Amino acid sequence: YTMLVHTNVTGNLSARLQRVTVPEALDAMRDLYDFDITLQGNKVTVRQPVMETQVFQVNYPTGTRKGSSDTRVAAGSLADAPMGAGVAGAPGTPAPATGRTPDSSRVSTASESDFWTELKNSLAAIAAIGAGNGRSIVVSPQSGVVVVRAMPKELRDVAAYLKATQLSVERQVILEAKIIEVQL
């Protein structure tokens, strides 16, 4: 391996690692000592961590998802008919009461989800986006692009989060069903 060390990296590191590969050893050093270590082929580059910008692709449709359902159950029987209701049209008997029976049970649910807003808020928390710290996030739902400016460790955390999110999103299927009217 060829090792390139930037001039602003100083000091000595000592580590005892057994039965690990070179990439595993470099990952351990990167995580423990917070260096920016990259391995490309047989070339190892070591730098002090500096703010970087990285572009991520996110495959998810634009827009917000809204869902609602409304279920009503009305129950009744002939015993529930008003007293004195007779046969319609018979002399001296009032017509049977007509109208809607009150709902016995009603369940309504509604949900709304805005994936892109939730994604931006989550990534801002992961990358410690704050006023004046130089970190930033740009989310473009139309192009499916997320641009993050942060430190290398935070960028790795963002990449891991986006990978996990993408795996979860790919398993979801959007189904839409409408029941217009049901008569029994």
Side-chain angles (χ1 to χ4, degrees):
Y1 289 92
T2 301
M3 184 167 274
L4 303 170
V5 180
H6 195 274
T7 57
N8 64 359
V9 175
T10 59
N12 294 322
L13 295 178
S14 177
R16 183 175 173 184
L17 302 170
Q18 296 179 348
R19 295 189 182 106
V20 295
T21 63
V22 170
E24 291 171 339
L26 293 174
D27 285 344
M29 296 296 212
R30 178 186 64 204
D31 292 341
L32 284 175
Y33 298 107
D34 198 31
F35 285 116
D36 185 15
I37 300 175
T38 56
L39 175 63
Q40 295 175 332
N42 288 340
K43 181 178 76 173
V44 178
T45 307
V46 181
R47 295 183 298 252
Q48 286 286 7
V50 294
M51 201 75 69
E52 296 177 11
T53 301
Q54 192 166 347
V55 178
F56 300 95
Q57 284 290 130
V58 178
N59 187 17
Y60 193 82
T62 60
T64 60
R65 292 172 28 184
K66 295 180 183 179
S68 65
S69 67
D70 191 13
T71 305
R72 288 178 282 182
V73 177
S77 67
L78 292 176
D80 294 339
M83 293 298 252
V87 177
T93 57
T98 59
R100 186 174 158 87
T101 58
D103 292 340
S104 309
S105 176
R106 183 177 185 156
V107 176
S108 295
T109 59
S111 65
E112 186 173 340
S113 173
D114 185 357
F115 172 80
W116 293 101
T117 301
E118 291 175 17
L119 180 70
K120 184 173 185 175
N121 293 339
S122 299
L123 294 178
I126 291 170
I129 306 286
N133 66 2
R135 293 163 175 84
S136 64
I137 240 176
V138 176
V139 175
S140 175
Q142 286 74 23
S143 61
V145 172
V146 176
V147 181
V148 181
R149 179 164 175 76
M151 298 301 280
K153 182 178 182 341
E154 295 159 344
L155 289 174
R156 288 190 299 273
D157 293 343
V158 165
Y161 177 80
L162 288 174
K163 183 178 178 182
T165 300
Q166 193 67 36
L167 288 174
S168 174
V169 165
E170 287 174 356
R171 288 185 298 206
Q172 294 181 7
V173 177
I174 299 173
L175 297 176
E176 183 177 328
K178 293 182 182 179
I179 298 175
I180 304 302
E181 186 176 339
V182 175
Q183 290 182 345
L184 301 176

